[in-house]
Every structure is written in C-alpha cells, then in structure tokens.
Amino acid sequence: MTAVGLDWLRVRAIARRHAFVLRRSPHRLFDVTIWPLVDTLLFGSLAVFVSRRGGNGSVAFGYLLSGIVLWHVVYQSQIAVSTGFLEETWSRNLLNLMVTPLREVEYVAGVALFGMVKLAMGVGVVALGAEILFAFDLTRLGWQVLPVAVVLLAVGWVIALFVIGLVLRFGSGAEALAWGILFLVMPLSGVFYPVAALPAVARPIALALPTTHAFAAERAVVDGHGMRWGELGLAGLTTVVMAAAGLVFLAWMLATFRRRGYITRYS
Amino acid sequence: MAAVLQAERLVKAFRGTPAVDGVDLRVHAGERVALLGPNGAGKTTTLLMLLGVITPDAGAVELMGQHLPAGRSAALAQVGFAAGYLPLTERLRVREFLTMYGQLYGLAHPGPAIAEALERFRAPDLAEAMGTELSSGQRTLIGIVKATLHRPRLLVLDEPTASLDPDVALHVRMGLLKMCDELGTALLVTSHNMLEVERLCERVVFLSRGRVVADGPPASVVATFGRADLEEAFLHVAGLSGSAVVGAQETDRPA
C-alpha cells in the first residue's frame, strides 16, 4: 500500500522493530519515565519556591510547570527519532536496512510513528507528575495548548533530522548531540521566560527559533490573554523553514555518507 | 537471457587510493557468479556500489532494469543480500527479525515465506531463539534465510559461509542451488572458499587491485592462468596483487 509516497507496510515494520527495542531494553524506559519525573520534580519545586516569594510568583509557577510539560514534547519527539536511528548504528544494523527497498523517508516515519508512543508516555508522566505533586492541571489551559504542542512536536522531529545528519557524517563522535543539542536549544527558546530575559547577544538567535515563538504563544495562554496567533503563526513558519533546512542537510549528509563509504563504520 | 545486473566502468577511490578501477560486470537471470579476489581487491566495495549503498565516483549501475540511485528502492525489492559479517537486528527473536524484513520486502503476511525459507536451510528450530542466543554461524544462516524470504531474482552474498561448519555450509549450498534452480534466482557471491565456489558457481570473475583480471567458467579461468585448480588460480592472482606478500591490506575499506 502506497500513500503520500510512503509504503505503510515498511513504516509499520520499522515502528514495530522499535517497539521491541523499548520492550526488551528496560533502561530505555528512563527517557520516558525517570527523566521526565526528575524534570517535573526540579522545575515544580522551583516553581513552588518562586511562587511563595510573592509578587508575580504565581505567574512564574504557571510558566515553569506548563513550560516543562511542553518542553517534553520537543524532548521526547527529538530523542525518540535520534536514539531510534542511533539504535541502528549501535547494533550495526544500518547495512541490513540499506540493502532493502526501505526509503529514508519511510525509515524516519517509522521511527517517528513509534516515537509518538514514547512521546505520549513521557509527556503523560510529566503532566501527571505536575498534577499529583504540584496540583498543576495542564488541561486548564484549554485546547489552545494543542497547536503549540503540534508545532513543538514538529520541531523535535526537525532537530532529530539534524542530529541524524551529523551522526551520518561524523559517526559515533556526534552521538552526544542526541541529548546535548537540547541543552543548547532549551535556554534559547524561552521555555520558562520571555526572550527579553536573555542577554542581548542571544536574542537574535532566540527569535530565529520556532520554539521561542511557540512558548511565547503558550505563555500568553498561561497569563489568561488567550492565544497569540501571530506568535503561533511565526512558530509554524519558522518550523517549516527549519524543516526544509533539515531535509536539505540530511540529504546532503546522506549523499556524503554514500560517497565516502561510511557504511563500513557500521559493518 | 536478460541481465538482472549490469555495471559499467565502475570507479571508486577512498582518499585518493583506488579501490575499484573500471569494473564491468553483467549478471544474467538465473546465472551463478562468484566475485573473487584477495583481500583489498575491491570485492565488497563493488558489491556495495552494485546495491546502491556506496556511490561510485564514475560508472553506472542498472539493477533489475532500474538505474541507480534513482530506482534503488524498486530494484532492491527484487534483490536479497546477506553477509557473514552482518549481525542480526538486536533484541528480536528470529521470527520477529524475519517478519520485519519480510515486511520491508513487501510481504504483508510473511509467515508462510518464513516457514519455507527456514525449512529450505534446515533451520526451523531457530525460529523462536533470540538473536543474541545464536552462534555466529547460526546468525549467518538466519541472515541468508532473511535474504531469500521474498524469493529475490538476484541474491548477493558476501562471504556467506565464512563462519559456518562444513555441514551447515553444505546445507546452505544445497538450499541455494535448490532455490536458484526452482526460482531462477541469479547468484552473485564472494568467497575465499574456492571449493565452495567451484560447487556453487558456473562463472567466476577475478578482481585484482580493483580491476577484473579474469571472467569466465571456473575451468576456463583456471586454464587462463595455467593453474591446476581455482585455489591455485586465486593464489596466483593474490601474488599478482602483492597481497600474498604483504598480507590482508584492506584497501577496499575506507579509513
């Protein structure tokens, strides 16, 4: 069955393979249970502390907890696709896949499809942790949080494309980026604060990131001002631009991988 | 007979070191061909270019009537590949592994094909084993089963029996010959086991330093080099390439 250029049988085969990986590697559950819970505890406690200081503390409480829940949409979608690909390099499975009819877009779609399960688990843990530990109910923000989450989901996938491209080009040395790149994106994205809080030198970079605009739109909802559709539109637009750049970059790195015969690193 | 694989003037160099230097190769439907040569002759690089995994610096590949790289996916749907050095996908049972690859090759319900392929290579008892529980020989065997699930028109095997016991290697050889006879599958195989090549292949192509130095039926190639058998012919070619003196220098592997 082929639709939108994808063979769904192949997409499902890849998704199923990664479901087995998670099922049979309990330590992989850390990414979708323990770390989300640690983040909830850390930022939730920080939120409580700040809110008890008075002033605009209650606003900060909402920023911190809604921010960490939505940040995990980026985190989980990015990590699921990046580590899904890394799994193929760790198990020297790349050549096995490259000699099948599987196309690159089908592979990414398969990993992303199963990544949705991990995303639901990871974000569910954070949202539930925020509710149980800090009485923060994300659903009170209403449906308006959904388009923000969709943009953040897409951004996570796009960041993963860059990570995969770098791993194809630089090999295992670039693996650390799967986790490390998010430590760069997070502070620049204004997950918990407006861009104005960043040092002036960092603001232009921050404004170029779709996540910055998505979180700005989300904070307006937290503030009770309703959705800032302009910010969300900007987030969507920059995501499309970033996705185009990510696809071009990945195609370039894949061509380099094939031209230089880097497959021998994994066979 | 129509060609299932046609490569013209393939050239590949890694960091300025030539690995493949103008290889022409044509494999016809149902033909069983061995690609031979000492370590560093360019066999694996050639195979990987023929499968579209490595991009040649020059030359063209037509696989199953599809020009690479554009027609790679369509072509590979009719090709199987296994290599003695490839592991099984981790954290999967053999049946799960074969199901996954069956689906990648377009089999919506691969169960019967898995049972048939396991039976063909006398390995049905391995179906429920975890990949990590298998010996290297068993993993190689399952890799070959995987490559034949979808009844490919061309089967490419890189050192398929390198880690197999003689009796298992015999089963593999018998299974391959049976499949080729029944389905008309063409075979392109690399091996350092000349006895196996003589029993399995009707044509040998010798590579030395990335070039084809002989191409024809085994007896004819042996006669070309004035040797007693294929083993001696191989040693002769290895001597020509210098690898018998300097050992296994892997010039076909990029740094």
Side-chain angles (χ1 to χ4, degrees):
Chain A
M1 184 170 63
T2 302
V4 205
L6 294 178
D7 183 310
W8 287 105
L9 188 62
R10 297 200 285 254
V11 172
R12 285 207 322 266
I14 293 298
R16 192 163 169 267
R17 174 261 198 282
H18 286 280
F20 279 120
V21 170
L22 186 64
R23 196 172 118 192
R24 295 196 175 128
S25 320
H27 61 281
R28 297 290 163 79
L29 286 169
F30 267 58
D31 271 338
V32 290
T33 54
I34 304 300
W35 303 141
L37 210 52
V38 167
D39 275 349
T40 312
L41 197 61
L42 175 66
F43 288 97
S45 302
L46 193 61
V48 170
F49 172 72
V50 172
S51 68
R52 285 176 184 166
R53 302 284 292 178
N56 287 328
S58 61
V59 174
F61 180 83
Y63 283 4
L64 282 164
L65 276 162
S66 63
I68 196 60
V69 173
L70 288 173
W71 175 249
H72 265 270
V73 175
V74 183
Y75 176 87
Q76 296 295 344
S77 60
Q78 193 279 132
I79 285 288
V81 176
S82 296
T83 56
F85 175 74
L86 288 177
E87 180 68 34
E88 313 299 357
T89 67
W90 293 330
S91 57
R92 296 196 299 129
N93 196 41
L94 270 186
L95 181 54
N96 268 328
L97 293 174
M98 290 181 79
V99 293
T100 70
L102 181 71
R103 294 186 300 131
E104 292 81 0
V105 65
E106 291 162 349
Y107 177 79
V108 173
V111 180
L113 182 64
F114 181 67
M116 297 289 278
V117 175
K118 294 173 81 173
L119 173 78
M121 290 170 75
V123 175
V125 165
V126 181
L128 210 60
E131 169 78 48
I132 292 169
L133 300 175
F134 302 103
F136 176 80
D137 180 7
L138 185 71
T139 60
R140 74 183 176 202
L141 296 179
W143 64 268
Q144 290 172 316
V145 83
L146 282 177
V148 175
V150 169
V151 168
L152 294 176
L153 171 73
V155 172
W157 286 340
V158 171
I159 294 173
L161 296 184
F162 282 101
V163 172
I164 292 173
L166 289 167
V167 172
L168 284 172
R169 172 62 184 81
F170 296 105
S172 55
E175 283 179 11
L177 284 171
W179 292 269
I181 199 164
L182 292 174
F183 289 107
L184 182 67
V185 176
M186 189 189 199
L188 289 171
S189 298
V191 176
F192 308 113
Y193 43 77
V195 171
L198 283 169
V201 69
R203 282 177 215 157
I205 305 169
L207 289 171
L209 295 174
T211 39
T212 305
H213 303 289
F215 281 106
E218 175 262 338
R219 272 194 304 277
V221 177
V222 173
D223 287 339
H225 300 320
M227 174 60 71
R228 286 167 62 185
W229 293 105
E231 284 285 3
L232 190 66
L234 208 49
L237 186 67
T238 44
T239 301
V240 169
V241 172
M242 195 173 154
L247 289 170
V248 169
F249 179 74
L250 184 59
W252 178 30
M253 291 299 103
L254 191 61
T256 303
F257 181 87
R258 290 186 191 278
R259 194 177 62 251
R260 297 193 182 181
Y262 285 155
I263 188 62
T264 52
R265 288 169 171 168
Y266 307 109
S267 59
Chain B
M1 261 190 303
V4 290
L5 168 66
Q6 192 167 335
E8 288 177 5
R9 307 299 300 160
L10 286 183
V11 174
K12 189 71 199 173
F14 295 113
R15 299 189 181 196
T17 305
V20 175
D21 188 11
V23 166
D24 291 312
L25 183 65
R26 181 183 284 228
V27 178
H28 295 96
E31 195 177 21
R32 301 193 303 273
V33 181
L35 192 60
L36 305 179
N39 291 322
K43 304 183 296 292
T44 298
T45 301
T46 300
L47 287 189
L48 294 178
M49 285 193 288
L50 298 176
L51 295 166
V53 177
I54 290 179
T55 308
D57 295 338
V61 177
E62 190 181 310
L63 186 61
M64 299 298 156
Q66 304 279 340
H67 291 283
L68 301 190
R72 189 187 65 82
S73 181
L76 288 178
Q78 303 174 69
V79 177
F81 175 78
Y85 49 81
L86 272 183
L88 298 189
T89 305
E90 286 186 7
R91 297 179 184 84
L92 295 181
R93 294 189 183 282
V94 167
R95 188 181 301 284
E96 294 160 354
F97 169 78
L98 295 174
T99 299
M100 171 190 166
Y101 279 92
Q103 291 175 338
L104 290 180
Y105 281 111
L107 303 175
H109 305 288
I114 291 170
E116 181 188 316
L118 283 170
E119 195 60 49
R120 181 183 294 129
F121 294 102
R122 301 193 184 186
D125 53 322
L126 298 179
E128 303 310 322
M130 289 295 291
T132 46
E133 294 169 358
L134 303 182
S135 69
S136 60
Q138 288 171 324
R139 283 198 297 271
T140 302
L141 186 62
I142 295 303
I144 294 170
V145 170
K146 179 262 293 183
T148 61
L149 277 179
H150 56 302
R151 299 178 162 217
R153 287 176 61 205
L154 172 65
L155 185 57
V156 180
L157 303 173
D158 195 4
E159 298 287 348
T161 57
S163 56
L164 299 182
D165 291 337
D167 62 326
V168 181
L170 176 67
H171 294 154
V172 167
R173 208 162 47 238
M174 303 286 280
L176 290 173
L177 286 171
K178 190 164 180 271
M179 192 183 80
C180 291
D181 285 346
E182 288 175 0
L183 306 177
T185 302
L187 194 63
L188 179 60
V189 59
T190 72
S191 178
H192 286 98
N193 183 338
M194 294 304 111
L195 192 61
E196 177 181 86
V197 168
E198 285 178 324
R199 289 175 176 171
L200 195 57
C201 298
E202 58 206 6
R203 183 179 143 213
V204 296
V205 177
F206 260 110
L207 286 184
S208 176
R209 294 182 175 182
R211 293 185 178 186
V212 175
V213 293
D215 184 347
S220 157
V221 168
V222 167
T224 302
F225 291 120
R227 304 288 148 170
D229 55 29
L230 211 51
E231 183 91 20
E232 283 197 17
F234 183 97
L235 291 171
H236 174 71
V237 173
L240 288 178
S241 72
S243 73
V245 178
V246 299
Q249 190 177 8
E250 293 270 347
T251 50
D252 64 344
R253 297 243 162 178

